[in-house]
Structure formats: C-alpha cells, structure tokens
Amino acid sequence: MESRPSTAVGKANHRAKGVRNGVCRIGKVCGMQKAEPIIQAIYRMGEKRIPLTRVYRSLYSEDLFLQAYAKLYRNSGAMTPGPDDDTVDGMSRQRVQAIIEALRCERYRFRPSRRIRIPKGKGGTRRLGIPNFTDKLVQEVLRSILEAYYEPRFCNSSHGFRPGKGCHSTLASIKQRFWGTAWFIEGDIRGCFDNIDHDVLMNILARDIHDGRLLNLIHQSLKAGVLDDWRYHHTYSGTPQGGVLSPLLANIYLHELDQFIEDKLIPLYTRGKIRADNSEYLNLQYRIRWARKCGNHQKARLLEKQKWQTPSKDTHDPGYRRLRYIRYADDFLLGFVGPKTETEAIKGTIRDFLQDSLNLELSPDKTLITHARTQQALFLGYAISIYQADEKHTIVHRIDGIRYKRRSTNGKVRLGVPKGLVCRLAKPYQQNSRIIGDVSLLPYSDVHIIDAFQRRFRGIAEYYKYAIDRGCLGQLQYIMEVALTKTLAEKHKISVKRVYKKYRGTRVIGGHAYKTIQVRVPTSQGESTFFWGAVPLKTIKPGTEPIEDERSFDSRFCYSDLLQRLVANRCELCDKNISCEVHHVRKLADLKHRWRGRKEKPFWVKRMIALRRKTLIVCRECHMAIHAGRPIPTKCTFHSGEPDELKGSSPVRRGG
C-alpha cells in the first residue's frame, strides 16, 4: 500500500502549485490519461523540493506508455531479443493495457536480462544486459517520471545522460571554468555501474519518493537477475549496463558525490578574492616607466614585450585557492589552483567519501594527479592542459573607470586531440605500412560505400570540433580517402586514377570549394548526391555554434505519425477498422536487399518500400500471415494500383 504523507510533508505540499490538501494532484492528472500534465506536475514537485506521494498511479496512463514506445522503437536494439522472443514487433494498445492492468494489480514482474559481452576499445570486454521489450517499455516510463522529478535537482556540474548535457557541454564547461588550473585530478570509479549498492540507492530514493509501490517496482527491476549463457544469476548490486533506467539511477546515486564536492570540498578549498600582484610584473612596469623617463625608448619596447609574457598576478599566491569540478557519468575531473600536497589531500577525501558513503572505490590506475602546464589530462577522449596565451585583456579601473590592457594569470584551457589518436584510427586502413581498402564493403553499392566512409570520418571530426589542433585529422582524412578509392577500384576492377575520374566532384561549403568523391542517385523527389569529403577542420570555439540538444519537457509530448496511425486502428493492408498492432523490420534497407531481384514481391513488402517506413500498422490476421509467409487473407482495397495516400503525392518521409 502507498505510504501516507507526514504532517510536515502535507504542510509543504499545501504551499506548492499543483498540490491540494497535502496530497500531490498527480492522481487527478492521471485520470486525464495524458503524459504532458503528469510529467509537468512531477517536474514542479522536483523544482520545489517536495516529496513525491501517490505517484505510482501515474503508471496507469496509456499515453505515457505510447510516448515511451515512440522513443524506443527507432533504436536498433528494439528488435534484439532479450531472454525471450519479446521484441518491439507486434506492439499494440491492447499490449499496453495488459501491462497497465498487471501494474494496477501489482503482479507485474521483471524478467532477468540476457547478458552479452562486447569488446572494449582498449582491450577486454564490457558486460551488457539486454531486457525484453516489455521490461524496456516499463523502465522507460519509470525513467521519464524519475527524470522529470530529479532533473531540476541535479547540479550543473553533472553531465551525461541528461537533456542538453552531453560530451560537448562538458568540454565547453571545462573550457570556460577551469581557467588558470595548476593541477588536474582525473577521477574514475572502478566498476561504477556494477558496484552500486542497492540498499544505499533505495535509501536515497526513499528520501524524496514517499510511495512504497513505486519504490518496490524500482527495487524489483534491480533484483531481476541476469541470464549468462542461459544460467540464472542473482543481482546483489549494480544497475545492468544496457538497461534503460540504469544511467538515470547512476546519476541519482552519484548526485551524492556532486553535492559533497560542491557543498563541502569547494567551500573548504576556496579562499581569497583575487590573486596577489606579481612582484616581477610590477618591477617590469617600474623599469619601463624609468626607461621612458630617461628617453631610452628602445629598452622600453623590449621591456614591454617581456611584460606581456609575464603574468600580472602571482600564480603561487598562498592566500588564493580555487577548486572546480565536473562529472560525466562515472568519470569526473577536478581542477585545483594550489600546491600538490593539497591536491593529494582532496583526492584522499573523495576516496574516503566514496568508500564510506556510497560503497564505491576509485580506480588507482585511472585516478591520476596531473600537472596542468607540463602534462595532459585525458578526459572524454580529449587531451586537456593549460597553456600560455599572449593575448591582452582589457581591464576597467574600479574607481576612475579608465580602460587599459594587461596580462592576466595566463592560464587558458587547451582542448586537443590525444597523441597517437590518428595512428590508432588509421590502423584498420593500413597493412604493412600500405593503405588498403575495406573489403567488408565490397558487396554493397557505391552509394553505401561512400556514405559509410563519410559517416565514419564526419563522426570523428564532429566529436573533436573543440580541439585546438583539429587540423591534424587531415592526415586521417587523406588515409581514408585513399582507402575509399581503393575499395571502389577493387569493386569495379579499375584503377584508382579511373575512380577519381569517374567520381570526382566539387562541393561548396561556407564559400569554400572542396573536392569530393560523389555519386548521384535519382529519386522520386529529384536527384540526391552522396559524397565523401567537404568536412571543414577549423576549430570551433565553444558557445559559438547553435545548441543542438536543448530538449525541454514541454517539447516531447506530441503525437508522432506512428502513434497517430496506431491510435486510428486501421489496418494498412486490408483496410479493416479493427484493433491493430505494429509490424516492425530492423532496417528498411535490409528489407530491400532481401527482396532485391525477385520477380514478385509480397504486397506488404511493396507497401513498406512505397511508404518508406520500417513500420506497418496491421490487424492480427494480416500480421500472422506476414510472419507465416502466407498471402494477405482478406482482399485489400489497396491492391489495385498504388496506395491511395501515395497517388499524386510524393512518398512519405522516412522514419514513421
């Protein structure tokens, strides 16, 4: 049964918007069966630091499950089976209603996840748990509820698995905040996801969630177990890597670390308003004035140049300390302005807190103390250091308002490409010091080969867009271009020279013309061009490019084309007005490849290709006929000619 709110909680709820008589109005909102007002109500509770009560009934909203399905079905893993054959295929409103009924009666049980192992980039394997799709769906609904409540409570230093806070937002924050750092602490928690203590996590959740049924459901998902080589293993700790809910639970867990560092450590190691003046800088100023007074302007100019290379403030001021902190998932970085002895003390304090409060350990091999000016800290694949910058900063005098220029402490943050990265990324395209083609792409079309190479390089170049030495990726670009031409030459049994002659093109981006390797493909909407190259390698300054992932809670709750089709309950094959379900394929390209060259394709294949969708709304009878390979049992009204919605119009946009 749900726990009753205490008197203190009731008084707090009285003062909150959306709360009446000491009880959250989420229950009333749930009766409306819409996702947006439910999430908005929970978000307001999180903003006001009001404990959640009676939130379990929000799981009765069908709209929440439909929105969760609309988010999950696009993932390639939606068609990957977990411990059973339960996948996204066959999704229907009846299936959602059955889940809700099981939750209402408190008889829903999570199945154990199927464990697989994937190779790591630096050797070894990483264990991932794959739940069935029904469990993914319930976890996604739980995730949306918990995210709405905890998102306004998280610290600004927390990044990763949060809306609008990814790798690039982390790097931009480091670039802006870690200015003048003397020492870096590279923090890595050993097996964080696998070692999260369930009891500690549930106690953290219970402080803010006063609903026993919801807590029991979350606890059940943690204790579901795993199937490793089809042998069942209990889960005594950790959140399964690969689970939908795991990243958010890890952020809630590590929020305790964020609060400890920001509320305890940072105030402790922050003192002094400004640095003391550098005596060497002041001495140079005096000598410059004296040289000018004596008429020795040549000496004054030499001293002026020396002055601009000297910090105006004392970088070793004992009365000045600053500590900065940033975290991405289970990796964190601290920048400290002070001596190394205090840096080691900070590291020890964090280690003790993790052990005593969260039952976690720092990895001794990966948790390093790095000198910011002479060494590089490796964080999120970037090489981070502090470098000498010779630009001048305009200063306004506090009293007179006079504007003048002077050097600061000279400690700008440098974001760079790690040493050896280009060689490591180019290794698959080299053999015995020679560039080779990618033989795995030979069975595919020219469009697929060119697009595959372009996506690989563009992803790398886009990730390192903040690197000050981003231009070094031009070497990788050259190697990949040669590998691309050799792949096409091997496919068509021609020379590389003929490949350039056949596929050479030009593309203008930002007023600059780039030579490309391209191929044109005719489509129903005109001609499409797929090309290689034309990726500018100019460094992008953080904050100058538009923000891409600034998702708000207001913008997520619109019915997609798929949900509209599903709710309409109209079979897109036999045109029956009946309860329908969704037929899924992993990729539309795979469907085209499978039936390529066949004289006669099944009607459902023709229809999916014509609609350019990897989903099809069908009745149960038609769906069974598709999987059994039988003809559509009922005469379809669309069989004569092309589909009605496609007559006289362009194909529907892919993805729905």
Side-chain angles (χ1 to χ4, degrees):
M1 294 186 63
E2 300 175 22
S3 59
R4 297 289 183 183
S6 63
T7 305
V9 173
K11 291 180 180 179
N13 289 344
H14 264 294
R15 298 188 291 268
K17 185 178 179 181
V19 176
R20 185 174 295 172
N21 297 327
V23 178
C24 173
R25 293 179 60 192
I26 293 175
K28 294 186 177 182
V29 174
C30 292
M32 302 165 58
Q33 297 295 314
K34 291 294 182 183
E36 182 176 5
I38 297 174
I39 298 300
Q40 288 293 338
I42 295 173
Y43 187 86
R44 288 195 297 269
M45 299 287 286
E47 277 187 317
K48 298 178 183 292
R49 302 294 196 271
I50 299 174
L52 280 179
T53 59
R54 304 188 181 184
V55 71
Y56 185 86
R57 62 185 66 186
S58 62
L59 300 175
Y60 306 158
S61 170
E62 182 182 341
D63 194 44
L64 267 178
F65 281 88
L66 292 178
Q67 295 290 348
Y69 163 66
K71 182 177 180 179
L72 293 176
Y73 88 96
R74 299 179 185 274
N75 300 335
S76 57
M79 289 292 294
T80 303
D84 49 27
D85 295 331
D86 185 11
T87 65
V88 68
D89 188 49
M91 185 65 190
S92 64
R93 296 181 67 184
Q94 287 71 29
R95 186 172 171 181
V96 170
Q97 292 166 3
I99 297 171
I100 292 174
E101 184 61 28
L103 290 169
R104 193 189 303 270
C105 300
E106 300 185 40
R107 53 180 172 81
Y108 185 86
R109 296 294 181 267
F110 287 92
R111 298 289 305 276
S113 302
R114 179 170 66 90
R115 177 170 287 174
I116 62 172
R117 290 171 173 83
I118 61 173
K120 291 184 178 180
K122 297 181 179 180
T125 59
R126 186 187 305 275
R127 298 183 299 177
L128 294 180
I130 303 177
N132 64 26
F133 186 76
T134 301
D135 288 348
K136 286 183 184 178
L137 200 63
V138 177
Q139 288 184 25
E140 175 60 26
V141 173
L142 288 173
R143 190 204 60 79
S144 64
I145 293 172
L146 294 178
E147 183 187 74
Y149 184 71
Y150 281 100
E151 181 60 31
R153 303 164 66 100
F154 286 151
C155 302
N156 291 329
S157 57
S158 170
H159 295 252
F161 308 108
R162 293 183 60 190
K165 288 184 174 290
C167 291
H168 287 121
S169 67
T170 309
L171 295 165
S173 182
I174 293 172
K175 181 77 173 178
Q176 296 164 4
R177 294 175 50 229
F178 281 57
W179 188 84
T181 296
W183 298 92
F184 287 121
I185 302 177
E186 307 171 51
D188 181 86
I189 301 173
R190 176 187 292 172
C192 178
F193 282 84
D194 295 331
N195 294 318
I196 288 178
D197 192 295
H198 291 172
D199 294 333
V200 176
L201 176 60
M202 296 309 300
N203 289 333
I204 293 172
L205 293 172
R207 290 204 302 256
D208 303 308
I209 301 175
H210 298 174
D211 190 329
R213 292 197 294 172
L214 186 71
L215 293 175
N216 289 336
L217 187 65
I218 298 172
H219 190 253
Q220 187 195 128
S221 69
L222 296 172
K223 296 293 187 182
V226 295
L227 290 177
D228 195 351
D229 291 334
W230 302 108
R231 297 182 63 180
Y232 178 78
H233 298 274
H234 293 281
T235 48
Y236 299 101
S237 64
T239 57
Q241 296 195 40
V244 177
L245 193 58
S246 298
L248 178 59
L249 292 178
N251 272 339
I252 295 172
Y253 197 79
L254 294 177
H255 178 62
E256 303 295 306
L257 174 64
D258 301 338
Q259 286 185 313
F260 172 75
I261 293 177
E262 293 197 353
D263 298 342
K264 300 288 182 63
L265 277 186
I266 291 180
L268 183 63
Y269 289 94
T270 299
R271 59 180 183 266
K273 292 185 178 180
I274 58 173
R275 295 175 186 263
D277 292 330
N278 187 2
S279 58
E280 184 181 355
Y281 185 87
L282 296 177
N283 184 40
L284 286 171
Q285 280 187 322
Y286 173 77
R287 293 171 63 188
I288 290 170
R289 287 196 298 267
W290 181 255
R292 287 173 178 171
K293 187 176 180 180
C294 296
N296 194 347
H297 297 286
Q298 183 178 0
K299 183 179 180 180
R301 284 194 295 269
L302 292 174
L303 291 172
E304 189 80 20
K305 185 180 292 185
Q306 187 178 350
K307 187 187 78 169
W308 292 126
Q309 296 176 357
T310 305
S312 62
K313 299 293 183 179
D314 185 7
T315 56
H316 302 287
D317 182 9
Y320 184 87
R321 296 287 184 269
R322 288 293 185 273
L323 180 63
R324 290 112 179 186
Y325 166 73
I326 200 87
R327 179 179 63 82
Y328 182 89
D330 59 340
D331 298 326
F332 60 88
L333 183 71
L334 289 102
F336 181 60
V337 181
K340 187 177 181 180
T341 54
E342 294 184 20
T343 309
E344 292 173 342
I346 294 170
K347 176 184 173 182
T349 304
I350 294 174
R351 182 185 62 244
D352 295 340
F353 174 81
L354 288 173
Q355 291 177 349
D356 299 338
S357 300
L358 300 179
N359 292 337
L360 296 175
E361 294 182 0
L362 288 177
S363 176
D365 299 333
K366 299 180 180 179
T367 304
L368 308 173
I369 295 177
T370 306
H371 191 259
R373 292 184 180 270
T374 60
Q375 298 173 296
Q376 294 180 336
L378 296 178
F379 188 69
L380 297 181
Y382 274 71
I384 304 173
S385 60
I386 301 296
Y387 72 106
Q388 188 119 338
D390 292 331
E391 65 256 20
K392 307 173 186 68
H393 303 275
T394 301
I395 308 293
V396 180
H397 199 275
R398 296 180 180 177
I399 301 175
D400 302 331
I402 301 174
R403 300 171 67 89
Y404 62 97
K405 291 186 177 180
R406 70 186 298 181
R407 285 294 303 274
S408 185
T409 51
N410 201 13
K412 292 186 70 174
V413 178
R414 182 187 187 274
L415 302 177
V417 177
K419 186 179 179 181
L421 176 72
V422 174
C423 296
R424 189 164 63 252
L425 295 176
K427 193 174 180 180
Y429 308 103
Q430 293 177 319
Q431 187 178 28
N432 298 327
S433 302
R434 295 182 59 189
I435 302 175
I436 59 173
D438 191 344
V439 294
S440 64
L441 295 176
L442 291 178
Y444 297 93
S445 64
D446 295 350
V447 172
H448 186 98
I449 295 172
I450 293 174
D451 189 54
F453 272 86
Q454 179 72 355
R455 283 187 285 107
R456 291 174 189 175
F457 181 74
R458 185 180 289 277
I460 298 168
E462 178 65 20
Y463 185 76
Y464 288 98
K465 63 182 179 180
Y466 292 161
I468 197 171
D469 54 349
R470 190 189 184 198
C472 70
L473 296 176
Q475 181 184 356
L476 175 64
Q477 188 178 24
Y478 168 76
I479 294 173
M480 292 185 67
E481 181 174 322
V482 175
L484 169 61
T485 56
K486 288 191 174 183
T487 304
L488 294 173
E490 178 67 21
K491 177 179 176 62
H492 297 289
K493 305 300 180 183
I494 58 177
S495 65
V496 173
K497 186 176 180 180
R498 288 190 61 187
V499 169
Y500 276 111
K501 187 176 180 180
K502 181 179 180 181
Y503 296 99
R504 177 62 79 192
T506 304
R507 197 169 187 89
V508 179
I509 297 178
H512 185 76
Y514 295 89
K515 291 183 178 180
T516 61
I517 297 174
Q518 61 186 33
V519 60
R520 291 183 174 86
V521 179
T523 63
S524 57
Q525 298 179 336
E527 197 176 57
S528 296
T529 303
F530 294 84
F531 63 93
W532 155 266
V535 180
L537 295 179
K538 183 180 179 182
T539 300
I540 298 175
K541 187 177 180 181
T544 58
E545 83 279 14
I547 300 175
E548 298 178 355
D549 188 19
E550 195 171 3
R551 182 184 60 170
S552 65
F553 288 93
D554 298 326
S555 61
R556 301 181 302 163
F557 302 101
C558 57
Y559 260 42
S560 64
D561 178 62
L562 175 64
L563 294 186
Q564 292 176 2
R565 291 158 55 209
L566 179 60
V567 172
N569 280 330
R570 176 193 176 194
C571 180
E572 295 176 345
L573 292 179
C574 65
D575 201 29
K576 289 181 179 178
N577 289 321
I578 195 172
S579 297
C580 294
E581 52 195 45
V582 189
H583 175 64
H584 287 261
V585 295
R586 192 178 296 272
K587 293 181 181 179
L588 191 62
D590 295 342
L591 188 68
K592 294 179 181 178
H593 183 75
R594 177 186 174 188
W595 296 94
R596 182 176 291 136
R598 304 257 183 127
K599 188 174 181 181
E600 186 65 30
K601 299 182 181 68
F603 174 67
W604 67 270
V605 175
K606 294 180 182 178
R607 186 152 179 83
M608 292 188 79
I609 294 174
L611 293 172
R612 300 177 65 184
R613 295 183 178 127
K614 64 177 185 178
T615 59
L616 199 63
I617 308 299
V618 293
C619 61
R620 181 63 179 170
E621 190 177 1
C622 291
H623 200 192
M624 293 178 65
I626 290 172
H627 284 282
R630 301 192 302 268
I632 303 302
T634 307
K635 185 178 180 181
C636 180
T637 58
F638 301 136
H639 278 188
S640 57
E642 66 177 352
D644 293 344
E645 60 264 44
L646 299 182
K647 291 180 179 179
S649 63
S650 58
V652 181
R653 188 162 52 100
R654 185 176 180 178

